[in-house]
Amino acid sequence: MMRLVDMHCHLDLMTNGVEIARAAQEAGIGFFCTTVTPADAAAAQARFSECPNVRVGTGLHPWWIADGTCGAQDAREAAAGAAHTAYLGEVGLDAGKRGAASIEAQARAFEHIMEAASAHPLPGRIASIHAIRSASRVLDILERTGAARTVACIFHWFSGSTDELWRAVHLGCLFSINEHMLATKRGREYARILPADRLLLETDAPPELHAPYSLEGIERSLTAALTRLAETRGVDPAALGADIAARSARLLGLA
Ligand SMILES: [Zn+2]
């Protein structure tokens, strides 16, 4: 049984990711390894194929569209991949400083990915979604494509408005919460008011890409987020942690 599950972690962008995954398996820690390009997703699937506690998402991160690393061909590949995998992420939209100029290309890619997923339903499909200054547009796409009904959509590090939060709740979305989100007043308020059955934990680690990281760093971050979340909600951290771990394990099909 998993003790902790990191529902949004860039394990494949840590040079020692496999080592960390193996130690985590012993420690009862599971991962949703979100990737940033379709090529990275394929590489990560191979790299973590022997790690029973890791699920790899097929991703197309908006920043990699924004900086020109990924173009229309990658968007087609990501959509083709989305049609036959149960794990999607990191996908989404970024209309903040880093992504505003490419928001239309991002929206086309995200819509194609969600359309492909909707057109080829798979039981237990999940998506980890990035939404900066674009939660309404993400929700429009989830509704329009039908993904809101057929995919367990997880907002990673939600930063939209309160209205957008409730719209996402009413659409059935889940929320993975990290310690950075809980460092802000608004983040804590969202963490306090969200329905208990929508809560998940994440790290969004590593802080530095393509460098070594540590299981200690991941566990410390997950535990800090859990402690803060329990404090904010006035509940017992052990019970909350067990509830979130069970929900996460179910979403990832982890034993
Ligand atoms: Zn991420």
Side-chain angles (χ1 to χ4, degrees), residues 7-8 32 34 87-92 110 114 125-131 138 142 147 151-158 168 172-177 198-202 247-248 251-252:
M7 288 299 289
H8 185 107
F32 185 28
T34 47
Y87 305 108
L88 308 178
E90 179 167 358
V91 292
F110 181 57
M114 287 309 178
R125 186 183 265 131
I126 68 170
S128 185
I129 300 172
H130 174 115
V138 162
L142 296 180
V151 180
C153 295
I154 305 166
F155 275 90
H156 130 72
W157 195 343
F158 185 85
C173 298
L174 294 109
F175 300 82
S176 56
I177 290 168
R198 307 303 175 83
L199 300 172
L200 301 167
L201 294 171
E202 61 154 73
R247 179 176 312 110
S248 306
L251 286 166
L252 296 179

